[in-house]
Amino acid sequence: AQTVTQSQPEMSVQEAETVTLSCTYDTSESNYYLFWYKQPPSRQMILVIRQEAYKQQNATENRFSVNFQKAAKSFSLKISDSQLGDTAMYFCALIMDSNYQLIWGAGTKLIIKP
Amino acid sequence: SAVISQKPSRDICQRGTSLTIQCQVDSQVTMMFWYRQQPGQSLTLIATANQGSEATYESGFVIDKFPISRPNLTFSTLTVSNMSPEDSSIYLCSVDLTGAKETQYFGPGTRLLVL
């Protein structure tokens, strides 16, 4: 069975600092996609970044970047120059090429302090 | 991306009643999904709704409790039937724009409280 594990229930950093959120996953399939979603208090689930497993290059999206280690099945999210608006729950998710079901981690609550 | 709206945004309901949640997308999509997010938890897939076919339910969810309609490529409804306090959750719809499993985009969610 596929699983996604986020081992940090909560993190807090000062504004403008860099923070890294951890995610590990397990799947026996070779083709899959990985995602980081952000859910602020408004509860809207917002896509932050995505990574195709067949791509070796780490995805980046402005201040957000990932460290994708396929052999280690690790997919961490780095947020640079953190802003107050980054305060949210962050979920790591996995989807296999063989079906449409997103497998979700438990989430990490990120608090950016002024 | 896509603009996805849900109605209602929140509701408070009495035990034993039913609530229908609507999900509207601004473009035609083949695959729509319904999720439940219980307080403090991650998302759990309820069912996949494809236009022109019966919804496919995940383990633990049944059609009698969560009937779904998908009358066209831009709209779907989820009904939470015979509600109990355990149904208090956020219900979210999502869409796969391309059908290529690349990304699911989510609606704003419906917060349901059952008394």
Side-chain angles (χ1 to χ4, degrees):
Chain A
Q2 294 80 21
T3 59
V4 176
T5 302
Q6 293 179 250
S7 58
Q8 303 152 313
E10 184 171 326
M11 297 183 70
S12 65
V13 297
Q14 294 294 136
E15 189 177 10
E17 290 183 348
T18 294
V19 59
T20 298
L21 309 183
S22 301
C23 173
T24 59
Y25 62 93
D26 190 25
T27 178
S28 58
E29 298 197 18
S30 57
N31 296 324
Y32 51 89
Y33 301 87
L34 292 158
F35 306 89
W36 279 98
Y37 281 91
K38 165 186 176 181
Q39 189 178 38
S42 67
R43 76 178 177 267
Q44 173 85 54
M45 192 68 74
I46 302 166
L47 176 68
V48 175
I49 201 166
R50 58 186 285 270
Q51 174 82 41
E52 295 93 336
Y54 62 85
K55 288 187 176 179
Q56 292 185 338
Q57 185 175 6
N58 289 326
T60 63
E61 193 71 40
N62 300 316
R63 296 183 296 109
F64 299 88
S65 61
V66 298
N67 184 3
F68 175 46
Q69 301 290 326
K70 190 173 183 178
K73 296 182 178 177
S74 171
F75 183 61
S76 61
L77 173 70
K78 185 173 80 172
I79 305 174
S80 303
D81 186 26
S82 57
Q83 302 173 359
L84 297 178
D86 295 332
T87 293
M89 283 291 291
Y90 285 81
F91 292 96
C92 179
L94 161 73
I95 193 168
M96 273 64 66
D97 203 31
S98 57
N99 63 56
Y100 285 93
Q101 182 172 1
L102 274 167
I103 310 299
W104 296 86
T108 296
K109 184 177 182 180
L110 177 64
I111 299 170
I112 309 299
K113 298 180 287 187
Chain B
S1 63
V3 176
I4 306 169
S5 60
Q6 285 185 235
K7 290 182 182 180
S9 60
R10 60 176 63 222
D11 208 341
I12 301 173
C13 300
Q14 295 298 317
R15 181 195 301 258
T17 62
S18 298
L19 176 71
T20 295
I21 302 168
Q22 300 178 5
C23 180
Q24 180 77 51
V25 190
D26 69 342
S27 57
Q28 294 184 339
V29 295
T30 301
M31 307 199 70
M32 296 180 74
F33 307 88
W34 285 99
Y35 288 86
R36 181 175 72 183
Q37 186 178 26
Q38 294 178 303
Q41 302 294 314
S42 184
L43 279 71
T44 301
L45 181 64
I46 297 172
T48 301
N50 294 337
Q51 195 269 337
S53 63
E54 295 291 322
T56 302
Y57 289 82
E58 297 300 314
S59 176
F61 298 96
V62 295
I63 188 172
D64 290 346
K65 176 68 175 177
F66 298 100
I68 288 171
S69 76
R70 184 78 201 276
N72 57 52
L73 291 173
T74 63
F75 186 78
S76 178
T77 67
L78 169 75
T79 299
V80 186
S81 303
N82 188 24
M83 289 183 285
S84 67
E86 292 70 34
D87 294 319
S88 298
S89 293
I90 297 171
Y91 292 85
L92 301 105
C93 67
S94 74
V95 302
D96 182 319
L97 287 183
T98 67
K101 306 185 188 71
E102 293 183 344
T103 303
Q104 286 186 26
Y105 293 95
F106 286 81
T110 296
R111 185 183 294 274
L112 172 62
L113 176 63
V114 183
L115 302 177

